[in-house]
Amino acid sequence: MDIESWNVVDVGEYGSVGEAVTRTPERDPVIYRLPAGEHRLEEELHFGERAGVALVGTPDATLRVTDPEMSRAVTFSGTKRAVVENVEFDFSDPGVGPRAIGAAVPERLVVENVRVRGRIDRLERPPASLMWFNLTTPAGTGVVRNLRMPDGCSHERETKQQHNHRIGVSVEAEHEGTLRLRDCDVRGFVDNGVYAKSSGPGRTIVEGGYFENNGNANVRLGAGERGHDVVRDATIVLDGGGVDHTGCGIWAQDGRPVVEGCTISATNWENDLLRVGRGAVVRDTTIESDASSRALKIAGERAHDVLVDGLLVTDSGSGEGRQYSVEVGGGGETVTFRNCAFRFDHGPHADRHGVHVGSPGVVFDSCRFEQTGDANALLLMGAGRSDVRFSRFRGGTLGVNVDSTASVFVGNQYDGVSTNVGDFGFDAEFDTVGESDG
């Protein structure tokens, strides 16, 4: 967004940021240039229905809040075009934790090179989130780039449930446009890192970025009426060694979000790494885990089909938390796994297995299953009719329960696999153990 023609107010010529804003209401659109260094923010900067407002550090500036009673730092409410660039919010004083930026913007939002310093120990809600972004018209667009919130918030486990803590970034029901979050760093928020599940008819697209140890979900997507929500090329790290809260890596909760090119890794973690609700497209994503949590869970009543294409799961966790690494349950529309690889090293753990299908209409097409020891590579139990075709199994057990004997096996290869499939009258093209070239 080009703002070079806007009016300019040099905040350094006034006693404070608040004074500069209060004394220049006629400047519209306006750039408030913040000189490098620290600026005390004594009260909320609230901008209403103006043509455009920009807060720009030159080159970098810090807005420091010391009042624990302040609930909001910078708010745009109906401002047509809003910009915050090169600004750090310092919330490091005890009890301080207002919402840093709240934006309900109809036309254009740009937030770039913004950082929040300090672990938030003010947990009172509202406001629930540190960042709140909404484009309030269908044509509205926003970009949040290089947002850094590495310090998260504290967790009062004895007095508050996780959903009563703070959220990193929230996109809610007022959102009607398109918001992109690019290369952001969000860590340690107990009630969701990025929460876009309730983001109204608008669309949220997460591109790149690093998300670590956020509770409930690191990235949580919903149903956008004007296009699917997306998380692409993001890195999710879950390490329970230093935290006492838990959450899933990516939660495709509503609609049919797209998860593409992401990497999720987990150790000592107790929640699902990737969770799918009512539908999703998952492409070219890698999940690596030595935790006892589920690498992938698909559950609930699916209103949309689920396509999982090019997923790689490498799992060596125990069955202490969950018996299966991948679980497909629920019902509704179909689930298709295509060109996926499942590498299970569960030999040391007699209570841990690979994939459990407990829902009809699941297809495995050109997939690869590897398992150590006697653990299940794939179990169809409660699967009704499922198709397994042109896939390869190496090691472990392939099991089919009596309630899943309508399933079809075509063109598969088996190497060192124990199975009970010979007990049932499967398709004549089923390649029995010992007859493949694998």
Side-chain angles (χ1 to χ4, degrees):
M1 178 166 52
D2 184 6
I3 63 173
E4 290 186 2
S5 62
W6 291 13
N7 299 290
V8 176
V9 173
D10 186 347
V11 171
E13 297 178 358
Y14 297 83
S16 67
V17 182
E19 181 185 349
V21 171
T22 301
R23 292 180 57 183
T24 58
E26 76 288 350
R27 305 284 186 93
D28 191 22
V30 61
I31 303 170
Y32 291 102
R33 285 187 176 166
L34 300 166
E38 181 179 287
H39 304 266
R40 293 281 292 270
L41 193 60
E42 305 290 350
E43 58 185 5
E44 176 188 4
L45 301 179
H46 187 278
F47 304 99
E49 296 181 354
R50 300 175 65 170
V53 174
L55 292 175
V56 180
T58 52
D60 297 292
T62 298
L63 294 178
R64 183 182 178 191
V65 176
T66 59
D67 182 4
E69 299 301 317
M70 182 184 290
S71 62
R72 291 165 175 82
V74 178
T75 302
F76 302 99
S77 180
T79 309
K80 289 183 178 180
R81 292 165 292 172
V83 178
V84 182
E85 291 183 356
N86 306 330
V87 174
E88 178 183 72
F89 292 88
D90 185 349
F91 298 160
S92 58
D93 281 30
V96 170
R99 171 174 288 159
I101 303 173
V105 176
E107 292 186 10
R108 190 79 168 99
L109 172 68
V110 175
V111 175
E112 187 165 12
N113 299 330
V114 169
R115 178 184 175 93
V116 177
R117 184 202 305 175
R119 188 168 188 246
I120 306 304
D121 59 5
R122 178 190 183 274
L123 302 180
E124 288 78 7
R125 297 166 51 140
S129 60
L130 245 63
M131 298 285 175
W132 183 79
F133 303 127
N134 297 283
L135 283 305
T136 59
T137 65
T141 60
V143 176
V144 178
R145 184 185 293 110
N146 197 31
L147 171 66
R148 295 289 181 261
M149 298 195 295
D151 298 328
C153 73
S154 61
H155 184 203
E156 295 182 0
R157 186 171 186 173
E158 293 75 18
T159 60
K160 293 179 180 289
Q161 297 182 355
Q162 281 192 200
H163 66 264
N164 289 326
H165 288 72
R166 302 301 290 276
I167 301 170
V169 177
S170 182
V171 188
E172 299 187 1
E174 295 85 350
H175 180 53
E176 297 189 27
T178 299
L179 176 69
R180 296 179 182 272
L181 304 174
R182 291 179 174 165
D183 299 325
C184 297
D185 183 339
V186 182
R187 312 185 200 185
F189 288 91
V190 177
D191 183 15
N192 293 283
V194 173
Y195 181 87
K197 180 259 178 184
S198 299
S199 58
R203 190 181 190 199
T204 302
I205 301 172
V206 180
E207 298 174 316
Y210 181 88
F211 306 88
E212 178 181 312
N213 288 356
N214 295 289
N216 289 334
N218 281 259
V219 177
R220 188 170 177 177
L221 303 176
E225 296 177 11
R226 299 188 175 90
H228 302 303
D229 285 357
V230 177
V231 54
R232 178 184 297 121
D233 300 330
T235 298
I236 315 290
V237 175
L238 308 171
D239 185 351
V243 299
D244 59 358
H245 62 268
T246 185
C248 68
I250 298 174
W251 189 352
Q253 186 169 0
D254 287 331
R256 196 171 185 252
V258 176
V259 179
E260 185 174 37
C262 295
T263 299
I264 308 172
S265 62
T267 186
N268 193 27
W269 198 253
E270 298 180 358
N271 213 313
D272 305 327
L273 278 60
L274 173 57
R275 183 185 301 160
V276 172
R278 296 176 62 79
V281 175
V282 180
R283 290 195 184 99
D284 302 327
T285 288
T286 298
I287 300 176
E288 301 175 348
S289 175
D290 62 7
S292 63
S293 51
R294 285 177 290 231
L296 169 62
K297 176 185 177 182
I298 301 174
E301 190 65 22
R302 293 180 291 278
H304 311 275
D305 67 295
V306 176
L307 172 63
V308 184
D309 190 352
L311 174 69
L312 170 60
V313 174
T314 303
D315 185 297
S316 60
S318 74
E320 180 181 356
R322 300 294 180 182
Q323 188 177 8
Y324 279 84
S325 173
V326 176
E327 293 190 9
V328 182
E333 296 299 316
T334 60
V335 178
T336 300
F337 292 88
R338 181 186 300 151
N339 301 317
C340 297
F342 304 96
R343 299 173 181 170
F344 302 123
D345 183 15
H346 297 151
H349 309 293
D351 55 353
R352 179 72 164 183
H353 301 277
V355 180
H356 172 218
V357 176
S359 174
V362 179
V363 176
F364 294 93
D365 186 356
S366 303
C367 295
R368 186 180 183 96
F369 300 81
E370 299 178 8
Q371 179 63 282
T372 60
D374 297 326
N376 286 328
L378 173 64
L379 173 65
L380 305 183
M381 185 169 69
R385 160 70 188 267
S386 291
D387 292 359
V388 183
R389 57 198 186 210
F390 308 110
S391 295
R392 181 172 184 131
F393 294 81
R394 174 171 291 175
T397 299
L398 167 60
V400 181
N401 197 51
V402 293
D403 58 13
S404 305
T405 56
S407 298
V408 174
F409 292 77
V410 176
N412 302 297
Q413 296 181 340
Y414 304 87
D415 182 1
V417 179
S418 173
T419 181
N420 68 336
V421 295
D423 298 341
F424 308 108
F426 285 111
D427 189 284
E429 294 185 59
F430 181 88
D431 298 334
T432 57
V433 175
E435 294 182 2
S436 76
D437 61 1

